[in-house]
Each structure stands twice: as structure tokens, then as C-alpha cells.
Amino acid sequence: MTRKLVEKSNLDNLLELRNVCIFILAFAGFFRIEEVLHIRYGDITFHSDYLTINVVRSKTNQLRKGSQVVISESSNIATCPVNNFRRYLREVEKFPVQADHYVFRASYKFKLGHRLVSVNKPLSYSCTRDYFKSSFKDIVPDISVFSTHSLGAGGASAAANAGVPDRVFQRHGRWRSVSAKNVYVDDSLSSRLSVSKKLGI
């Protein structure tokens, strides 16, 4: 789903690049969309081959102590969340930014393209939801059954079906319990069939 989004997007357009980054980060980090929208520059640390994001605002963070999500570079440069995020920040940082500035803000159009507004407010959920619908409507069979929640759930399902160990999987998604984690996972048909295949009958 995210691969098709990248293929159809014009990443030279700041508006489209911003939206792609939001959606790919949500997928790769199992983020709720509000968590992505509230990322500030001071929450981000780039390493040689991965990215760390400090999550301060989270439904699973009941004690408000924050948690860190690490996202690796991928071999596919086009869909790599770290690569695309770097590219987005390079464009945004052509203009002054500070550690407490929200990374994903509303944009406005001018004669040379798009620019983020100077007001330090995160992009609204309603705008992000509308961008999600318009971005994915030609990619998924029925956009009415998809929401921004589908991104984190899609990433979680992909990881589960790829055999990522439960403990690591649960920590990445910041779920407090196995039951909370399982709500997000949609097992693939092959995973479900593997149960009866291993019964020895």
C-alpha cells in the first residue's frame, strides 16, 4: 500500500512529500496518526542507519514518561521511511526551524511551490484524514473501509506476518498488553493456514 503511494506521488512537491512521510512513518512505527502529527524537531535523532523518534504524546503512555521508537533504513530507497524523512526535513530546513517546532504543519502555496506555515501548530487530524482518503482512494479497493488507523495496523500486521518476535513487536508498538497488540494485527491467510498444517494430521 505504501509502496504504491510513493510510486504515484510527486516527491518534488513539498505537500505530497510531507503527506508521504506522515503515512510511511505511521506504517513503519506503528504510530497512531496523532503521534506522528505531534513530532517536534527536538524529538528526532538520526543515526548512521536508523532513526529515533521520542514519542511524548501517546494513548499508551499513561504515565507521560515518553518512549522511543527506532526505525531502520530499508534497502528500497524509494519507500525507505528514513530516507524520505531526511528528504522532507532538508526541504523544510531551508527556512529557520527550532527544536520545539512541529515537523508536520499546514502548508501554503506560493509561486515556487509549497511552504510550511510559520504558525507552530501541528497539521490537523481532519486535514490529514482528508489527505489520506485522497491519497489512497485509487490504491485500495474501497477507501470507505480504510482510515488513518489502517496505517499503524497495516505495519503491525506486516511485521507479525513476517515473523517478528512478539516481545520486540509489542515494544515497537508501545502496547501495554498482548491483547492490546493483537487488536492491531490482521493475520495473513498463510499464517492462519499454518496452524492446521502443523497439527500433524
Side-chain angles (χ1 to χ4, degrees), residues 7 10 17 23 34 38 43 47 50 52 73-75 82 107 119 123 126 163 172 201:
E7 290 173 353
N10 175 14
L17 178 59
F23 301 145
E34 292 89 350
H38 283 82
D43 298 327
H47 306 272
Y50 69 97
T52 301
E73 288 184 348
S74 65
S75 57
V82 178
S107 66
V119 177
L123 184 66
S126 59
H172 189 73
I201 54 177

Side-chain angles (χ1 to χ4, degrees), residues 90-107:
R90 280 197 300 268
E91 291 300 315
V92 173
E93 289 170 1
K94 291 177 180 178
F95 309 97
V97 296
Q98 297 180 22
D100 67 337
H101 284 180
Y102 290 105
V103 173
F104 299 113
R105 305 194 302 277
S107 66

Side-chain angles (χ1 to χ4, degrees), residues 72-139:
S72 174
E73 288 184 348
S74 65
S75 57
N76 188 331
I77 295 177
T79 57
C80 174
V82 178
N83 178 65
N84 279 295
F85 200 25
R86 283 186 191 274
R87 180 174 179 176
Y88 171 74
L89 292 179
R90 280 197 300 268
E91 291 300 315
V92 173
E93 289 170 1
K94 291 177 180 178
F95 309 97
V97 296
Q98 297 180 22
D100 67 337
H101 284 180
Y102 290 105
V103 173
F104 299 113
R105 305 194 302 277
S107 66
Y108 66 92
K109 191 172 183 178
F110 71 116
K111 63 180 181 180
L112 297 179
H114 287 83
R115 183 180 294 176
L116 297 189
V117 298
S118 58
V119 177
N120 190 28
K121 289 178 60 177
L123 184 66
S124 70
Y125 173 77
S126 59
C127 283
T128 308
R129 180 193 59 211
D130 291 343
Y131 284 128
F132 173 86
K133 295 288 186 182
S134 61
S135 297
F136 285 97
K137 67 179 181 180
D138 297 326
I139 295 175

Side-chain angles (χ1 to χ4, degrees), residues 20 24 26 34 55 61 64 79 113 117 119 129 145 147 150 160 172:
V20 164
I24 289 182
E34 292 89 350
V55 182
N61 178 23
R64 299 185 181 276
T79 57
V117 298
V119 177
R129 180 193 59 211
V145 300
S147 69
S150 305
H172 189 73

Side-chain angles (χ1 to χ4, degrees), residues 58-73:
S58 173
K59 286 176 66 176
T60 60
N61 178 23
Q62 300 298 313
L63 299 179
R64 299 185 181 276
K65 291 183 178 179
S67 58
Q68 286 191 332
V69 176
V70 292
I71 298 176
S72 174
E73 288 184 348

